[in-house]
Amino acid sequence: MHRFTEDTAELGRAILKYAAERLSLDPVPLDFSRTVEELDSVAGEAISAEGIGGQAALKLFEDELALACLSIDHPRYLSFIPCAPTREAAMFDLVVGASSIYAGSWLEGAGAVYAENQALRWIADLAGMPEGAGGGFVQGGTIGNLSALVAARATARANAARTRDDARPFRVAATAGSHSSIASACEVMDAELVPVPVDERLRLTGDALREVLLREGPETFFAVVATAGTTNLGVIDDLESVAAVCKEFGIWFHVDGAYGGAGLAAPSVRDRYKGVEQCDSFIVDPHKWLFAPFDCCALLYREPALARAAHTQHASYLDVLNETPDWNPTDYSVGLTRRARGLPFWFSLVANGTDAYTAAIEHTLEVARYAAAQIDERPYVELVREPDLSVVAFRRVGWSAQDYQQWSDGLLERQEAFVVPSAHDGETIARFAIVNPNTTDEDIAAILDSMA
């Protein structure tokens, strides 16, 4: 099965044809989820001792399994945080898969690592990070946040050891609006997550942070996590005041921009990120609002050497890598084996140019502003808060949680849209996560009309 035969060539042509047709769909169908029983009935015996051949396997996927996956790149897929990769990024993902590149070390994947580092440098420049900043691409925001916090704790403990301080920092400060992966990372690290109250705009602020640190003991904290665009409501924390407090107490300042960090490329909202340039670490997911395919999180450090000290794995078979000054991406995050997941993003940046990215992000922001204006104009809906970015949270006046669910189910059943209910402060709400440049004002108006 490792030889290239005529059957292999024929299968390759079929797969390329399928990929081309899928990429040409405009718009793509939403499709439906299916039950385990339904999928068992058509694919339950797919894996067998003899195999069914590549063409039959492709047909099974195309005719059955693919139709049971929602199309996250549909312009009316507005739930969670969608993914809307450029055609160039999606196509180049095929190249990455076919190229059999190991991108964990410079020795084995220098060309890929070099290209990924170019893409990381563009992001670092957007965030105003210094010339020496760097890192790597990891699977997603969860691993990005975990890796940054591991580096933060290792740095804090090394600093304590140098000053002969017996303190072993074990706490992380963040708000309830921070991503669920922060709590998960603390669980994995056996660290304590200390909540910080938000202000009237639902932001983490320096004043509230200082109060918590002084109450709990600043020497017990190894990191503060601020968010540049929360997942549920799109809130950007008061990064500048938080950065000042972190500097005051010598605590690592991590900024989670998994969703919202892409807004740094949009001049219309760039001023809302003031202070991000002071971060010690920063993440943004190109598979969210920077139009790359899953899975791709950019993880950056102000001082990469600190992350390398925390993450480099040591073993006799790795000595050849660790004894050189080469840039090995696996030195900067949890994990060793890695694919060149940043290459499709790099390829799209090179092919389309950064101005196209700015224009696409600005377009989604304009659609979000249109959505907010439409909600203000309609008497049966109202905003939960004025949007900072492209997440628009709103309520349908008089609706119960069951009403929201029935409405959401109906949209999908009729193949009109995918908008699932969310919640804020104990209240069921609706929200639009607008990151697809193909989403139009007409799409938003049609969905709001369905709530009347």
Side-chain angles (χ1 to χ4, degrees):
M1 64 183 178
H2 285 86
R3 291 180 296 111
F4 193 92
T5 66
E6 181 52 40
D7 286 343
T8 312
E10 185 178 346
L11 177 60
R13 289 189 289 269
I15 287 175
L16 290 175
K17 179 176 181 289
Y18 173 83
E21 290 176 352
R22 175 59 176 78
L23 289 170
S24 69
L25 295 176
D26 187 19
V28 297
L30 264 174
D31 291 324
F32 300 92
S33 184
R34 297 170 72 176
T35 66
V36 172
E37 292 75 19
E38 289 172 329
L39 293 173
D40 273 345
S41 69
V42 296
E45 305 298 324
I47 297 177
S48 64
E50 301 81 12
I52 63 174
Q55 294 285 354
L58 178 60
K59 181 173 176 57
L60 175 61
F61 175 77
E62 183 176 0
D63 293 348
E64 303 291 350
L65 301 183
L67 303 183
C69 301
L70 296 186
S71 298
I72 297 178
D73 53 342
H74 190 284
R76 292 192 185 182
Y77 186 112
L78 299 171
S79 294
F80 312 115
I81 302 293
C83 174
T86 66
R87 299 299 194 264
E88 290 83 1
M91 286 187 283
F92 203 74
D93 211 23
L94 292 173
V95 175
V96 173
S99 298
S100 196
I101 298 170
Y102 173 71
S105 74
W106 185 272
L107 174 66
E108 297 159 284
V113 175
Y114 175 85
E116 288 185 321
N117 285 348
Q118 281 191 326
L120 287 170
R121 185 66 252 168
W122 179 66
I123 294 172
D125 288 343
L126 288 177
M129 298 181 76
E131 187 62 33
F137 288 98
V138 297
Q139 297 95 312
T142 295
I143 297 300
N145 284 327
L146 173 61
S147 298
L149 291 177
V150 167
R153 185 172 65 177
T155 300
R157 290 183 174 177
N159 289 339
R162 278 194 296 272
T163 60
R164 298 183 179 180
D165 189 338
D166 292 334
R168 284 180 63 81
F170 63 97
R171 285 172 163 159
V172 175
T175 71
S178 64
H179 193 265
S180 57
S181 62
I182 302 302
S184 177
C186 288
E187 286 286 337
V188 170
M189 299 172 68
D190 194 23
E192 180 183 343
L193 180 58
V194 179
V196 182
V198 296
D199 68 2
E200 68 283 354
R201 294 170 58 187
L202 307 179
R203 303 178 305 164
L204 171 64
T205 65
D207 288 342
L209 175 63
R210 182 183 290 103
E211 184 176 333
V212 168
L213 294 178
L214 290 174
R215 184 186 71 226
E216 302 292 337
E219 71 281 357
T220 66
F221 288 82
F222 64 84
V224 171
V225 178
T227 308
T230 59
T231 300
N232 200 35
L233 300 179
V235 177
I236 300 177
D237 287 333
D238 185 359
L239 303 178
E240 187 171 36
S241 69
V242 173
V245 173
C246 288
K247 183 177 182 180
E248 176 185 344
F249 291 103
I251 300 174
W252 186 286
F253 176 37
H254 174 63
V255 177
D256 178 358
Y259 147 63
L264 288 164
S268 69
V269 294
R270 178 62 181 82
D271 63 315
R272 300 178 186 181
Y273 297 85
K274 190 175 182 182
V276 68
E277 69 281 354
Q278 300 180 57
C279 69
D280 292 293
S281 53
F282 173 73
I283 68 162
V284 60
D285 288 352
H287 66 231
K288 289 185 168 73
W289 205 10
L290 284 173
F291 321 122
F294 293 123
D295 51 4
C296 182
C297 168
L299 166 62
L300 285 160
Y301 299 96
R302 172 176 294 276
E303 297 183 49
L306 299 177
R308 184 171 183 172
H311 288 292
T312 297
Q313 296 188 29
H314 298 277
S316 58
Y317 47 83
L318 298 175
D319 287 347
V320 68
L321 303 179
N322 296 338
E323 293 173 358
T324 70
D326 293 336
W327 192 276
N328 301 318
T330 54
D331 288 340
Y332 304 100
S333 66
V334 173
L336 190 63
T337 302
R338 73 179 293 272
R339 70 191 298 269
R341 59 176 43 86
L343 273 186
F345 174 54
W346 168 86
F347 183 81
S348 183
L349 276 174
V350 172
N352 291 297
T354 59
D355 285 352
Y357 276 74
T358 292
I361 294 168
E362 288 286 17
H363 172 74
T364 59
L365 288 165
E366 290 168 4
V367 174
R369 295 178 191 119
Y370 172 84
Q374 284 290 298
I375 290 165
D376 280 338
E377 291 178 8
R378 296 167 185 251
Y380 54 89
V381 286
E382 56 188 27
L383 288 170
V384 171
R385 70 186 298 275
E386 287 291 333
D388 286 344
L389 297 170
S390 67
V391 170
V392 183
F394 60 102
R395 61 177 60 87
R396 171 57 165 87
V397 178
W399 270 13
S400 66
Q402 184 178 8
D403 292 326
Y404 281 100
Q405 192 61 59
Q406 289 177 345
W407 165 75
S408 174
D409 292 344
L411 286 176
L412 184 58
E413 184 179 346
R414 298 187 300 272
Q415 291 287 279
E416 293 176 4
F418 182 63
V419 186
V420 299
S422 187
H424 170 63
D425 201 20
E427 174 192 12
T428 303
I429 61 171
R431 62 186 280 283
F432 296 143
I434 304 166
V435 302
N436 190 333
N438 289 325
T439 302
T440 65
D441 293 350
E442 291 74 22
D443 292 324
I444 297 298
I447 296 170
L448 290 174
D449 286 344
S450 72
M451 304 180 89

